[in-house]
Amino acid sequence: NSPFEMEYNKNSIKNLKGVIMNSVINFYKGTELKYSVYSNSLEDVKNNPLNYFPEYTDDMFITDKNFQYPIIKNNELMEMTREERIEQGIETQLEPGEFIKNKKLIKVPQPSKYHFWNKETNKWDLDLEGLKHITRRKFRQVLLDKIYADFDYNGKIFQMGEADEINFLRVKSAIDIATTSNDPKAIIEAVKFLKVEVPEGFEEKVKAIIKDKTTLSEVIQNLKINWRLKDNSVDSFTFGEINHIYLLWILRGTAAQEEYTAIATKTMEAKSLEELESIEWK
């Protein structure tokens, strides 16, 4: 072993015994790494450099930093900047929007978040077709928000989420059964399933007018049901009102769907980013 290796091994053994000595201290001569040693104190190495590296000279840098691309500036050893590495011809990882010209780093601002960097041309390209699909999906979410938005009926705010629609469908089903079924038992069971308080003599009345669908439908639609509103309060509504609210909600959704179809078509026919960004749907 060379004296250099023997000294390194000796210090390594000493430091292993010390356990707490866990920092690597480096000796640089200029930008060249000459020696590394373990120590628990950078200051101790600086104050007693020869104890750690017998070949130490006063022109050396002692540091706990390990430089990948060292450079000396203002008598200080430090890491090269990306620009300095490029000037030195050192291969450097470039970020989108950057390219090298005459050993200088050129940065081109991204025109918009919809542009992607083309390394072949060193230019930002617009993915207009991809952006059209992204924009259309955005408007699709607007459509869903409109469809399932709360519904104001005479100052009463109804929740109209996907889960809430089931409750409206149950009432509609009861009314449908009343206008199509000839089985009074089925009608009565359908109504009771909705936990409606039916008036006295309701079953007999249904049996008596079972053939008269118009009258029967009126009887069913005048039944009342308790309904929980947006603010968690409970109010009473007739089947007819609930069915009417459901119809209005469907019509509102149909109108929103027609608006979406028009705006989606406009989106996919856009010829530029400016035209696409000008499309709004509030």
Side-chain angles (χ1 to χ4, degrees), residues 8-56:
Y8 183 86
N9 291 336
K10 182 175 70 176
N11 280 307
S12 297
I13 293 172
K14 178 180 70 175
N15 292 333
L16 284 173
K17 291 180 180 179
V19 179
I20 62 172
M21 297 181 179
N22 55 7
S23 297
V24 176
I25 310 301
N26 299 309
F27 290 80
Y28 281 87
K29 190 174 183 65
T31 58
E32 181 183 359
L33 177 61
K34 287 293 187 179
Y35 188 66
S36 298
V37 66
Y38 285 104
S39 175
N40 67 325
S41 170
L42 173 61
E43 291 304 315
D44 185 51
V45 178
K46 285 184 175 182
N47 293 333
N48 306 283
L50 291 173
N51 290 346
Y52 290 87
F53 183 33
E55 297 179 24
Y56 168 77

Side-chain angles (χ1 to χ4, degrees), residues 114-128:
Y114 307 115
H115 285 75
F116 66 94
W117 182 246
N118 188 328
K119 293 182 180 180
E120 301 297 324
T121 62
N122 289 332
K123 292 181 179 179
W124 290 102
D125 290 338
L126 173 65
D127 181 12
L128 186 60

Side-chain angles (χ1 to χ4, degrees), residues 154-219:
N154 295 334
K156 307 292 185 180
I157 307 302
F158 286 76
Q159 289 188 150
M160 305 302 291
E162 293 183 68
D164 299 296
E165 185 179 4
I166 297 174
N167 295 326
F168 287 91
L169 284 171
R170 286 172 178 166
V171 172
K172 182 180 182 303
S173 296
I175 296 174
D176 289 343
I177 291 173
T179 56
T180 58
S181 176
N182 291 318
D183 183 356
K185 183 179 180 181
I187 297 173
I188 294 165
E189 288 181 351
V191 170
K192 287 183 176 180
F193 178 75
L194 291 167
K195 299 179 180 179
V196 175
E197 292 186 10
V198 295
E200 185 177 350
F202 175 73
E203 295 186 24
E204 289 71 20
K205 190 173 184 179
V206 169
K207 293 176 183 178
I209 60 175
I210 191 69
K211 300 298 182 182
D212 185 348
K213 298 301 181 184
T214 301
T215 303
L216 182 57
S217 177
E218 291 176 355
V219 170

Side-chain angles (χ1 to χ4, degrees), residues 5 15 19 44 131 134 177 182 191 239 245 274-275 280:
E5 292 173 324
N15 292 333
V19 179
D44 185 51
L131 179 57
I134 293 173
I177 291 173
N182 291 318
V191 170
F239 276 28
I245 293 168
E274 293 72 21
E275 184 180 350
E280 294 184 353

